[in-house]
Amino acid sequence: QVQLVESGGGLVQAGGSLRLSCAASGRPFSSYVRGWFRQAPGKEREFVAAISRSGGSTYYADSVKGRFTISRDNAKNTVYLQMNSLKPEDTAVYCCAADLQVRTGRTYRMPDEYTYWGQGTQVTVSS
């Protein structure tokens, strides 16, 4: 019933930019925490960015801070990830996630804090 679908991935050269989108369907997502994770071949899934329910607070992995920006448009049930100054090490499958639960001590950075997941979109950064 609830579905998250990512789009906007592709192949870019180092230093380039991409904007990923994640559209949600099935129910309104205005009250959901939203996040982005990525996984490269041979590596564990890692946190990239997250945004609070209202959009007033954002969180970033140190590896992307200053280069990536997460935002949301609740009217469209969509979250975005603007990626600038891309590096080859950013190459991965990027998945969006959402969570409705009220959690004590939420870190925003742990995969087990999210209930819904998209299938992912491939981002490849060439050198």
Side-chain angles (χ1 to χ4, degrees):
Q1 187 70 20
V2 175
Q3 187 174 12
L4 304 177
V5 180
E6 302 94 337
S7 62
L11 174 64
V12 298
Q13 291 186 315
S17 298
L18 283 174
R19 190 180 75 159
L20 305 183
S21 299
C22 179
S25 63
R27 65 175 61 174
F29 272 68
S30 60
S31 62
Y32 285 71
V33 171
R34 306 289 293 274
W36 288 94
F37 292 78
R38 68 187 183 186
Q39 187 166 23
K43 300 187 65 177
E44 295 183 1
R45 178 173 51 183
E46 66 174 343
F47 167 77
V48 177
I51 189 165
S52 63
R53 303 177 198 277
S54 67
S57 298
T58 57
Y59 308 85
Y60 297 95
D62 289 342
S63 59
V64 307
K65 193 175 301 180
R67 299 187 297 120
F68 291 10
T69 303
I70 188 171
S71 61
R72 66 190 299 163
D73 185 341
N74 286 339
K76 297 181 178 180
N77 286 340
T78 299
V79 65
Y80 305 94
L81 186 68
Q82 178 67 47
M83 305 185 294
N84 298 326
S85 301
L86 283 162
K87 305 175 181 179
E89 51 262 46
D90 295 318
T91 295
V93 174
Y94 285 70
C95 294
C96 69
D99 189 68
L100 183 60
Q101 295 183 29
V102 176
R103 300 178 184 269
T104 300
R106 180 189 292 274
T107 71
Y108 293 90
R109 295 171 168 83
M110 303 299 295
D112 61 6
E113 295 179 351
Y114 296 85
T115 303
Y116 303 101
W117 293 83
Q119 293 299 306
T121 185
Q122 177 70 46
V123 171
T124 302
V125 184
S126 64
S127 59

